[in-house]
Structures are given as structure tokens and as C-alpha cells.
Amino acid sequence: MGGMFLLLAYLACGLVASDALFRKRSGLIRVWLGLTGGLLMMMWFPVLFAFAMTFCVAAQWLGLGLAALVAGVCFWSRRHLRRADGPFCGNMPAWLPIVLVVPLTALSGYLQFTHILRDVDGALHVGQSTYGDLCLHLGIATSLQNASFPPDYSILKGTLLGYPFLADSMVTSMLLFGADLAQSYVVTGTLMMALVYLGYVVLAWELTCRPLAVVLAFILMFINGGLGFLYMLDGVMKDSTALEQVFTGFYQAPTNMPELNLRWVNVICDMMIPQRTLLGGWTQLLPTLYLLSVGIREKRGETFVILGIWAGALPMLHTHSFLALGMLSAGAMGYQALRAPVKERKPLMIHFLIYGIIAVGLALPQLMTWTFPQTIGGGSLALRFNWVNNQGNGQLIDEYFWFWIKNVGLVYILIVPAVLSAKKGGLCRTLAAGALVIYVIAEFIQFQPNEYDNNKLFYVAFMAVLPAVGLYLAELWDKLRGVRGRALLAACFMLASTLSGALTIGREIVSDYQLFSASEVEAAAFISENTLEKSMFLTGQQHNNAVAALTGRYILCGTGSYLYFHGVDYAQQQADAGKLYQNPAENLDLLEQYGIDYVYISSQERRDFAVDEAFFASYGELVYENFEVRIYAVSETAKAWHENAA
């Protein structure tokens, strides 16, 4: 309960601060910005104190105290202002957020529950999309407990954790107050998904002020998928079991088939559910897009100041969101410099300058400490044209436009006419100009070792232009009034635009995979309760590493599936782990060099290495054993610990 109390306390602080700062906005917007702001404070404030005292319980209390102080100052300074009159949702129809947000939030809550450490007879199960990514986030959350800052990778001790970790450290805060690991992820994940849905409704309404446009943009954003269903139907015609494979095969859904060059995945299933960092980033990105839009429309300096602070907090939450926001803001500023009325240009450019100075000033220490050393130092930046459609030798797999059409779907064809039909100088065109900057840069520059990750930039561009597409489709619907077959045409378009996404969501709903066996869970519980918090373990390099994910203990070397794509050099530790398992007698110096306290041997280590268990049985002390797992204490510190505990 302590962890949930902490979460609720931060949310309450956010609501108080938002109610003061945004008193002229509708109640719905104040609540949305308050909840997202509360989460942002929960992610950042304890970290500020962790540099002086580790990420401990005291840092959490001080962080919460700072949040209460911020809320109090905001309330006191704005107490004389009256709240906005009118309906809770302002000029937005109340049914709009209810009809759109509630169903997808219920779906998301179910997927969070089934996809994050669901207990099945003592084993822990997940869904298809979380089978690969979840363990990284679990390991970060569990290892940050009482960690010194800036922290190291728990899966490669001595290497700075340059991966954005704030969406996971929020869970760490809850763990320090006694919360359950799975429950903390499910509750915060569901909340963030709800805020993303609500935020997109608010943004789309701000840009269009038309319910049908908001509905269309929302559906095209979250039930997204390209023309992969056509390939699926072709497969069904040849093999009647192909449809069954969509729901039972591993990544056979029509939005993610690399062998067919289908990579524009459904954002709910393959982005928001498994990619915790992206989810946290989008939760905070949408308020910045809203504030940017409102700031351009209202031209109030205060809005740009708040925007600068909010944007400056993004890098270690989700660097791609920060980068995309910067690109989009640059494009929006350039467009407004050309299109805004002459008398408004200078003050608007000054507001943009203030926003940029604040955002860069807050972001630069994060980038210098964490991002640049890992991205630039790791050699991640590279020139690469046309995202994953490039084979790496300059040859495209599919023809350029066909690649994007088959991946994004029919909506891709409508983006340009939709933007051109939008009001000149309006917000839709302004954000579209920013989206174009993102699109062009991401089409030519690869920012990480995994070229696939540029989709985290493309999706922000997609997010920004869809309200214009929704408005275009709504206006087209009006123009076709009285034309026979209008409803059928619209239904065919929406079916073609959402069928791949709907099938993918259906597949994710029924997916079920065991991540950790009951024996591994029992062993992890023993480690958590009976070893020192910063002990070092020798384990295998499997991605579903129970020691790293469930206990937060350091391991000699984690999986290359994480480390390689983070631009981290782990070759020496990987090689040394193999030597220690297979020839420990000849490599005893490595045990001391790396400070290894325990050797963990499960069925996975026995599968991957010719483990010399006889040596460890004679050299170390067997401190735990079950059906599948044995744990040997091999350092004097570890042996003495267990002797004293006995």
C-alpha cells in the first residue's frame, strides 16, 4: 500500500499545481495536465536527491516534499485567479473522451495485467510483445533500489546506465515503499496509457474542433496498421491454416512481418505495452505538443515557459520524444516565421527562443551525462536512407512509395492533400511542417545501432499530422453528402486502415508465454531475501535472466539483445563469462577481478555452456538448490554472510 500511497500523493500534487497554473483551461485539461505533471514529478524529483544520498527511501520522501512545495507555491501564487467557467470538458463534447478513451483504457489494463508477470502456478507469464523487452525494464527498476547516482547497468557493472530510465525509476520508488513489482508496472502502465489516449483526444480537438475529425484521427493513430492484411489473405488462399497462425504464431500478425518488409507495427501492441520508456515519453510528449499548439495560437509567454520546463525534462525519460519534439518545434517555428502576420512574428519568435533556451538548458546536463557518451561514443549515428527499407548497400527492398503505403496504409496517401487543404497559417499546417522536419531527418539519419528504432521518430510525425487527415476526411464526408455509396466507401476505407491493427490487437489479447519458471521464481525470491543487495552474480546471457530482472543484483554480463542495441561494448565480459563457466579452475583470477560473489546455474546456463559444476561444488558453498537451480557462494564475503546468517 505504501507504493500506491506514494503514487497517489504525487498525482495529488500534480492536480493542485495544474489547477493553479491552468485555471483558464477546462476541468478536463487541468486534470489531464495535473496527472501527467504528477507522474513527471514522481519520475524526476527523487533523482535530484539520489545524487547526494543514493536512490533510497529518504530521497523518495524529499522528492515528495519537493512536489508538495511546488504544488503549494503554484497554488499560493495563483490563488487570486478564478477557474474557467463552463462545462468540465470546455467546448469539447463530453461524450468524445468517454467513447474513445474508456474502451482503449480497459483493453490496455487487461493487456498490462496479462503481459507483465502474470502468476500461473508459480511461474511468471507474459504476452508476445513483452517477452523480449520487459526484462530490461524489470532489471532497471529492481536494481535502482538504493543505487548510487548516476547508476550503472546492473547487467554490465561499471558501465553507465545511459538508457533513459525514469519511467522505470518511478516503479523503483514504489518498490522502496513495499509495492509489488508486477502491480506497480500494471497500475502505472495502465494510467500512462489512459493519459496518452486522453492527451491525443485533447490535442486533436485543439487542432480541429470537430468531433468526427477527432474520432478518425484517434482510430487511425491507435488501431493503426498498413496493408499487411492483404498478404495475410493471400496466405489464407494458399493455406487455410495461415489465419490460425496470425493468432498462434510468434509475430505472424500483419503489422509486423519483417520477412515481408512490414515494420509499421501497431502502437498499442508493439510500442506502448512493451516499450515502457516510449510509453512514459509519450505520456509527457503530448502535453508539450498541446502547450506548443496553445502557445502558438494564444501567443502567451507564460505558456512557452511552462513548455520549456516540461520539454527539458524529457531526455532521460525518452530521448527520442525529446529529439522529435525539438525537430517538430523547429519546423513549427520556421513555418510561423514565414506565415504568421508580420506584427506577430517578432514576439512569437522571442517566445520560441525563451522556450528553446529553457528546454536546452535543462536537457543539456542530461544529454552530456548520459545520452551523448553512449550514442556518439558508441558510434550509433549513421547515414541511412529510407529507414528499414534500405538493405544497407544502398539498394531499397521495396519501391520507395510502395514501402510506405503498404506499411502505413491508405492514410499515407492522404497526408499531403490533407495538409494542403488545411487552413494556411493554422495549427494543422504548423504541426505538419514540424512533422515534415522529423520525417526528412529520420529518413536520412540513423540514431541507434538498431535502424528499426527510428520508428520512434516517425510515429511522432504521424501523430502530429493525423488530426489534419481526420479533418480532411470529415470534410470529404460532408462533400459526399447525397452521393450513393458514401457510407460503404467510408466503411471500406476504415476497414482497410484498421484491419491489420485489429488483428494484431486480437493476437496480443490471446498471447501467452512463460517468461520465468516456478523454480527460477523461487530462486529469485531466495536471492532477494538472502543475499546482499549489491552482490555480483555469474549467470548466463539469456534475456529472461531471473537474477537481473527479479532481484536487481549485478550480473557479470547481460544479453547482447539489450547491450548491443544500446551501443555498449560487452565483448570482454561475455567471453570471460564463458571461460568461468567452462574452465573455472584456470580462470580463478577472473572471479576476483570482477568481484563475483555467486555462481548461478539453471537449465539455461547448462544449455548454453558446458558448465563445470563439479568445480563449483568443491570450490564454493552451495547456498540454494531446487529442482532446476543451484546457487554457489564463491567469494569470501558471500560465504561469511551465509555463515553468519546461519
Side-chain angles (χ1 to χ4, degrees), residues 46-63:
V47 169
L48 300 178
F49 297 99
F51 281 92
M53 57 175 57
T54 76
F55 203 71
C56 58
V57 171
Q60 311 307 317
W61 281 115
L62 289 171

Side-chain angles (χ1 to χ4, degrees), residues 313-378:
L314 281 176
M316 284 314 293
L317 177 54
H318 189 226
T319 313
H320 282 92
S321 288
F322 175 76
L323 179 59
L325 176 63
M327 295 177 189
L328 190 145
S329 298
M333 181 179 69
Y335 181 78
Q336 285 294 315
L338 295 174
R339 299 299 310 185
V342 175
K343 65 178 182 179
E344 297 178 0
R345 290 180 190 175
K346 184 176 179 180
L348 185 57
M349 293 305 106
I350 292 175
H351 290 155
F352 266 103
L353 181 63
I354 292 171
Y355 154 42
I357 290 173
I358 295 173
V360 172
L362 291 174
L364 198 57
Q366 304 169 58
L367 298 172
M368 295 294 292
T369 301
W370 287 293
T371 308
F372 292 159
Q374 188 154 312
T375 302
I376 299 175

Side-chain angles (χ1 to χ4, degrees), residues 306-552:
I306 298 173
L307 170 60
I309 296 171
W310 215 307
L314 281 176
M316 284 314 293
L317 177 54
H318 189 226
T319 313
H320 282 92
S321 288
F322 175 76
L323 179 59
L325 176 63
M327 295 177 189
L328 190 145
S329 298
M333 181 179 69
Y335 181 78
Q336 285 294 315
L338 295 174
R339 299 299 310 185
V342 175
K343 65 178 182 179
E344 297 178 0
R345 290 180 190 175
K346 184 176 179 180
L348 185 57
M349 293 305 106
I350 292 175
H351 290 155
F352 266 103
L353 181 63
I354 292 171
Y355 154 42
I357 290 173
I358 295 173
V360 172
L362 291 174
L364 198 57
Q366 304 169 58
L367 298 172
M368 295 294 292
T369 301
W370 287 293
T371 308
F372 292 159
Q374 188 154 312
T375 302
I376 299 175
S380 298
L381 290 174
L383 293 175
R384 184 187 184 92
F385 176 63
N386 198 201
W387 189 33
V388 293
N389 193 39
N390 193 316
Q391 299 183 75
N393 57 6
Q395 298 295 314
L396 299 184
I397 301 170
D398 288 309
E399 189 276 329
Y400 182 85
F401 286 108
W402 172 240
F403 165 75
W404 280 113
I405 292 169
K406 82 174 190 178
N407 270 276
V408 178
L410 299 179
V411 66
Y412 182 81
I413 303 172
L414 298 179
I415 291 174
V416 172
V419 172
L420 292 178
S421 72
K423 179 183 176 182
K424 293 181 180 180
L427 289 177
C428 281
R429 280 205 180 188
T430 301
L431 291 198
L436 179 62
V437 173
I438 297 174
Y439 181 84
V440 171
I441 293 176
E443 275 285 71
F444 285 92
I445 300 177
Q446 178 182 323
F447 289 91
Q448 289 188 294
N450 187 0
E451 68 275 7
Y452 173 76
D453 281 347
N454 266 27
N455 65 354
K456 298 168 187 175
L457 300 173
F458 287 122
Y459 275 118
V460 178
F462 187 62
M463 180 187 296
V465 298
L466 278 181
V469 174
L471 188 59
Y472 180 73
L473 289 170
E475 292 172 350
L476 186 60
W477 174 259
D478 290 342
K479 291 177 181 178
L480 292 175
R481 188 181 304 277
V483 176
R484 293 181 61 185
R486 179 180 71 153
L488 178 61
L489 180 63
C492 289
F493 173 83
M494 293 306 295
L495 181 65
S497 299
T498 60
L499 182 56
S500 293
L503 288 169
T504 301
I505 292 172
R507 164 63 181 126
E508 211 59 49
I509 288 173
V510 301
S511 65
D512 180 22
Y513 293 90
Q514 178 179 291
L515 189 64
F516 299 112
S517 68
S519 297
E520 290 175 309
V521 174
E522 292 170 3
F526 170 83
I527 292 170
S528 297
E529 297 169 5
N530 297 280
T531 66
L532 293 172
E533 197 168 57
K534 299 306 172 186
S535 299
M536 170 70 86
F537 279 71
L538 172 65
T539 72
Q541 281 104 56
Q542 64 272 16
H543 87 280
N544 53 335
N545 190 303
V547 177
L550 300 180
T551 76

Side-chain angles (χ1 to χ4, degrees), residues 2 35 88 155 165 169 185 200 239 259 276 298 349 360 459 463 528 571 628 642:
L35 294 176
F88 178 75
I155 56 176
F165 55 79
S169 68
Y185 268 104
Y200 198 65
D239 179 3
E259 68 278 8
R276 172 84 178 190
E298 298 180 351
M349 293 305 106
V360 172
Y459 275 118
M463 180 187 296
S528 297
E628 182 185 354
H642 288 281

Side-chain angles (χ1 to χ4, degrees), residues 62 79 87 92 136 153 169 173 182 188 213 248 261 264 279 321 327 352 380 405 426 444 463 552:
L62 289 171
R79 66 190 186 283
M92 180 196 300
L136 169 68
Y153 275 94
S169 68
S173 297
T188 55
T248 60
N261 208 21
W264 190 254
L279 175 58
S321 288
M327 295 177 189
F352 266 103
S380 298
I405 292 169
F444 285 92
M463 180 187 296

